[in-house]
Amino acid sequence: LFNLFKLIPSILLAVLIHRLASDRWRYAYRVLLVVPMIVPSLTTLFIWKFFLDPNIGALNRMLDITGLKGVLVSIDHFFGWGVFLADHPIGWLSQPELVLPSLFLWGFPWIGAVGVLIFLAGLQSISPEIYEAAELDGIGPLGKFFHIELPLILTQVRLSLVLLIVSTLQGYVLQLLLLGDSGGPDGRGMVPGLWMYNRAFIAGEFGYACAVGIIIFAFILVLTLINNKYVRIDK
């Protein structure tokens, strides 16, 4: 569900780049999107692990400097969560209640270079005559997005959803590196792929792990078929 929400910034950025009047700036932004892809994914993960470190991490330091930690402590005191304490560093990856919010925060501002380029390709296929007709009808920028651009890039959204389903259900590298093979405190970060890895290489139950892999495959297949059936548009 978190990853579905993370599709939104990529779609919005693709629309913003597509609407630039200058071809030179559109090309420049596409190049800037591709540049971060040369950084190995493991490097990015370790940077985020350092960022979320309770003692030397940049996130806790930023909260202390800006005074936002005091705001979180006050909110915590009001609701009685017992998560944010004034005299303790925030354990983003060590407190069970904060594991899922930390995984959600990972990758902020959630701009996927590949996703943006896919959406841009769909936007560039929209005929200029459609925009001209919309302007004659008095449709504003927001109306163009919901009535023209979003419906006409549903093919690209469907492709992105397929890739999202596959990577989410079988992926486990993020959880393994940030939380360990047990999925963090109370197993809050345990996902199917990590459970398969745990059973195979920690418990030595290779047959069990293979069965988990088959179940993951079945779920991916069913969700992909549902996605292909319902996420479509008749042009």
Side-chain angles (χ1 to χ4, degrees):
L1 292 177
F2 286 162
N3 286 341
L4 285 174
F5 177 81
K6 291 179 180 181
L7 279 179
I8 298 175
S10 296
I11 295 175
L12 296 179
L13 181 61
V15 171
L16 291 174
I17 295 176
H18 175 67
R19 292 187 181 183
L20 287 173
S22 172
D23 292 337
R24 179 177 299 179
W25 278 110
R26 282 201 297 267
Y27 176 78
Y29 278 114
R30 288 199 299 268
V31 172
L32 290 175
L33 279 170
V34 174
V35 170
M37 295 175 66
I38 66 175
V39 180
S41 57
L42 284 178
T43 303
T44 305
L45 287 174
F46 283 123
I47 290 174
W48 272 94
K49 188 173 184 178
F50 169 78
F51 182 75
L52 296 170
D53 188 278
N55 298 311
I56 59 175
L59 180 56
N60 278 355
R61 288 189 177 185
M62 180 185 68
L63 293 176
D64 289 333
I65 293 173
T66 59
L68 290 176
K69 183 179 179 181
V71 176
L72 293 176
V73 172
S74 299
I75 296 174
D76 185 295
H77 180 72
F78 179 79
F79 288 101
W81 295 333
V83 177
F84 302 105
L85 304 176
D87 53 349
H88 289 82
I90 302 174
W92 295 100
L93 298 176
S94 58
Q95 294 178 250
E97 300 84 359
L98 296 178
V99 169
L100 286 180
S102 300
L103 295 177
F104 177 64
L105 180 64
W106 179 84
F108 182 83
W110 310 308
I111 301 297
V114 175
V116 174
L117 295 177
I118 290 175
F119 298 137
L120 271 175
L123 290 168
Q124 290 173 352
S125 65
I126 300 176
S127 173
E129 287 78 8
I130 297 178
Y131 286 104
E132 293 174 2
E135 291 175 357
L136 290 174
D137 289 338
I139 297 178
L142 198 60
K144 290 179 183 178
F145 174 73
F146 285 106
H147 298 293
I148 297 176
E149 292 164 335
L150 185 58
L152 291 180
I153 62 169
L154 280 183
T155 301
Q156 286 71 31
V157 172
R158 182 175 59 187
L159 172 61
S160 297
L161 285 174
V162 170
L163 298 176
L164 177 67
I165 291 169
V166 174
S167 63
T168 299
L169 290 184
Q170 74 177 13
Y172 64 90
V173 176
L174 170 65
Q175 290 80 6
L176 177 63
L177 292 179
L178 293 183
L179 304 169
D181 56 70
S182 62
D186 294 342
R188 293 293 181 91
M190 182 63 70
V191 292
L194 182 58
W195 181 246
M196 179 177 63
Y197 172 88
N198 184 294
R199 292 298 88 193
F201 299 105
I202 305 301
E205 300 174 353
F206 293 98
Y208 186 102
C210 289
V212 173
I214 295 298
I215 294 174
I216 293 174
F217 166 76
F219 271 96
I220 291 175
L221 180 61
V222 171
L223 290 176
T224 301
L225 291 175
I226 294 174
N227 172 69
N228 289 339
K229 181 177 180 179
Y230 291 104
V231 183
R232 62 172 63 242
I233 183 172
D234 297 326
K235 296 185 180 180

